């Protein structure tokens, strides 16, 4: 299909290690379901097959193999803490957990001193699990370097952020980075069914209808912890009224809306925004509305969304549809004047408009090429007849002499040099054949011929 056809007219067998300290099996009966159902061995781990196949580095670590510090990078509820505990469960390793939210250099120093005492006195290796390591400052991350370098601790760091941006390079170079993926629907379904039947979980006290199970899977969005939380809340609501069947209404009463994995300061923020813009650029209004909805439900600042739409209107639509920028600016103004939730309508209108508009990047290509030339030194002297001439002595310098006033000719356009000498004939703006630029292309061709003296 071309632009001229009218479309844009305007697991395998495992070695089972002993239970990690403290063993999940020993979790209190009143602990959250997600804690009670934490896997006790690799045989119970669901998902992450790409990291846990036989011979994989992470699997060897969890089975007591080579001791290399690792960084587990992935969304919430994908097994980072579980894998850290499994690594501590072998070879008589100690397990110490710190949260970057509540720990500082002092706590790290205390852990290192204890790790040294256990290593030197008892020959026991310490597994140090640091959750949300991206929240550590550079100084705090640097404090880990020596202990990781000489093997004092086996560091297992977890983060939901891209480590390339959130972890300092010296520490990152000492860690084996393993990226975890959201659980698949079948993985979440397996965990739900296990939790319903297992004595550590609900012990068969309730049953879940297929439709309710589908709803729980959808709500979890690949997050095992969210799945367990939603199941537990649904089951509590049912058993609290003497029931034994978790159905869709029970799930809806317990869980208001789906888990939206979206960190306004992290990868999900950038990934969703990127998908939003690329869907608009790709002329898919339905996908664009989906990503817009994800941002709005997650609480993204509507002013940020509006700014992205304004930028996109010039960057990817441009003069192929001159009304696109007007629509985007109007949406941004609506956000300021009215606010949410009503402003979602204007944002959605602008999103659909931009997605369905003919596309052209000729404007951004033109200005970027011009700026590149300027930075490279292609500036040249401004022609004398274009220089400012309304000050004493300007005429003696030749300023303004020979300038031809276009309105003095009937056509309003005449032959005259406008760019510096070295840029005469340089075409920065090259209109496409899409939408309104089709007519602009023809008009610009004629204008250039006249202005450059190629025709009379």
């Amino acid at each position: 299909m071309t632009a001229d056809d009218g479309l844009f007219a305007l697991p395998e067998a495992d070695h089972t290690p002993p239970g990690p300290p403290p063993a999940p099996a020993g979790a209190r009966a009143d602990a959250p379901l997600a804690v009670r159902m934490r896997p006790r061995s690799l045989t119970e781990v669901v998902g992450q097959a790409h990291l846990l196949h036989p011979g994989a580095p992470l699997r060897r670590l969890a089975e007591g193999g080579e001791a290399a510090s690792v960084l587990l990078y992935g969304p919430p509820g994908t097994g980072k803490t579980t894998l850290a505990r499994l690594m501590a469960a072998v070879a008589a390793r100690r397990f110490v957990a710190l949260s970057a939210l509540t720990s500082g250099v002092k706590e790290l120093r205390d852990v290192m001193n204890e790790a040294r005492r256990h290593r030197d006195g008892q020959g026991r290796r310490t597994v140090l699990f640091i959750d949300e390591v991206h929240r550590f400052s550079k100084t705090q991350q640097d404090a880990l370097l020596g202990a990781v370098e000489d093997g004092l601790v086996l560091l297992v760091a977890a983060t939901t952020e891209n480590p390339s941006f959130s972890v300092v390079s010296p520490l990152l170079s000492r860690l084996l980075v393993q990226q975890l993926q959201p659980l698949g629907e079948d993985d979440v379904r397996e965990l739900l069914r296990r939790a319903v039947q297992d004595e550590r979980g609900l012990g068969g006290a309730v049953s879940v209808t297929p439709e309710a199970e589908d709803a729980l899977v959808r709500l979890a969005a690949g997050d095992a912890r969210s799945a367990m939380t939603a199941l537990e809340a649904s089951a509590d609501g049912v058993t609290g009224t003497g029931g034994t069947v978790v159905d869709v209404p029970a799930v809806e009463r317990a869980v208001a809306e789906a888990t939206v994995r979206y960190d306004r300061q992290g990868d999900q923020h950038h990934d969703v925004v990127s998908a939003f813009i690329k869907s608009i650029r790709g002329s898919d209004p339905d996908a664009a509305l989906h990503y817009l909805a994800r941002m709005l439900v997650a609480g993204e600042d509507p002013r940020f969304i509006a700014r992205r739409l304004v930028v996109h209107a010039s960057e990817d639509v441009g003069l192929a549809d001159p009304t696109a920028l007007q629509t985007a600016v109007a949406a941004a103004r609506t956000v300021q004047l009215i606010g949410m939730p009503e402003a979602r309508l204007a944002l959605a209108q602008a999103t659909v408009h931009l997605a369905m508009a003919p596309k052209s990047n000729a404007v951004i290509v033109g200005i970027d090429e011009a700026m590149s030339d300027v930075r490279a030194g292609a500036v040249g002297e401004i022609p004398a007849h274009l220089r400012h001439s309304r000050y004493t002595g300007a005429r003696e310098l030749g300023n303004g002499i020979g300038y031809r006033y276009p309105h003095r000719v009937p056509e309003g356009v005449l032959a005259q040099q406008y760019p510096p000498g070295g840029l005469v004939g340089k075409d920065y703006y090259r209109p496409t054949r899409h939408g309104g630029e089709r007519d602009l292309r023809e008009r610009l061709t004629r204008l250039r011929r006249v202005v450059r003296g190629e025709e009379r």
Side-chain angles (χ1 to χ4, degrees), residues 37-258:
M37 290 304 300
R38 191 185 299 281
R40 298 165 295 187
S41 69
L42 283 178
T43 57
E44 294 185 359
V45 173
V46 174
Q48 314 310 332
H50 64 295
L51 300 179
L52 296 174
H53 60 81
L58 195 59
R59 187 184 186 91
R60 293 200 302 272
L61 284 171
E63 291 178 338
E66 57 186 273
S69 291
V70 297
L71 187 146
L72 303 177
Y73 156 47
T78 53
K80 296 186 291 294
T81 304
T82 291
L83 291 171
R85 289 181 175 273
L86 291 178
M87 290 178 212
V90 296
R93 297 169 180 161
R94 293 176 63 239
F95 181 82
V96 179
L98 294 179
S99 170
L101 288 172
T102 58
S103 304
V105 173
K106 179 183 181 300
E107 287 77 11
L108 286 175
R109 187 179 297 113
D110 292 342
V111 168
M112 301 311 170
N113 290 336
E114 279 295 300
R116 185 173 292 104
R117 186 172 66 82
H118 280 273
R119 182 193 65 180
D120 297 343
Q122 304 174 25
R124 294 185 67 195
R125 187 80 177 276
T126 296
V127 174
L128 172 58
F129 176 63
I130 299 181
D131 197 16
E132 299 195 76
V133 70
H134 60 275
R135 297 188 183 275
F136 265 170
S137 67
K138 181 180 184 299
T139 300
Q140 291 168 316
Q141 292 186 33
D142 286 343
L144 293 166
L145 294 177
V148 173
E149 182 72 32
D150 65 14
L152 176 60
V153 296
L154 175 61
L155 176 64
V156 181
T159 178
T160 56
E161 302 292 321
N162 188 326
S164 297
F165 304 113
S166 59
V167 179
V168 297
S169 297
L171 180 59
L172 190 61
S173 67
R174 291 166 171 81
L175 301 176
L176 174 65
V177 178
Q178 301 283 277
Q179 183 172 5
L180 284 70
Q181 301 296 333
L183 300 186
E185 291 189 357
D186 291 341
D187 297 329
V188 175
R189 201 177 302 276
E190 180 180 341
L191 291 175
L192 288 169
R193 293 175 179 176
R194 183 189 297 173
V196 168
Q197 297 301 324
D198 197 297
E199 290 301 322
R200 292 178 295 154
L202 303 180
V206 297
S207 61
V208 181
T209 67
E211 295 78 12
E213 184 180 88
D214 289 341
L216 288 168
V217 170
R218 176 179 57 81
L219 289 165
D223 184 330
R225 188 181 299 108
S226 290
M228 295 295 102
T229 301
L231 172 61
E232 185 172 30
S234 302
D236 286 347
V238 168
T239 58
T241 57
T244 59
V245 178
V246 174
D247 54 15
V248 172
V251 173
E252 291 175 342
R253 287 192 298 270
V255 184
E257 59 188 28

Side-chain angles (χ1 to χ4, degrees), residues 401-424:
I401 296 176
Y403 173 66
R404 303 180 66 194
Y405 189 56
H407 293 295
R408 288 178 180 167
V409 298
E411 297 82 3
V413 183
L414 46 75
Q416 186 163 231
Q417 179 183 335
Y418 291 99
L423 294 175
V424 172

Side-chain angles (χ1 to χ4, degrees), residues 12 138 143 245 297 306 336 376 423 427:
E12 304 177 36
K138 181 180 184 299
V245 178
V297 170
Q336 292 178 329
L423 294 175
D427 296 344

Side-chain angles (χ1 to χ4, degrees), residues 355-373:
M356 297 185 65
K359 304 298 190 293
S360 171
N361 68 345
V363 170
I364 188 173
V365 169
I367 185 59
D368 284 354
E369 284 187 7
M371 292 178 69
S372 177
D373 282 351

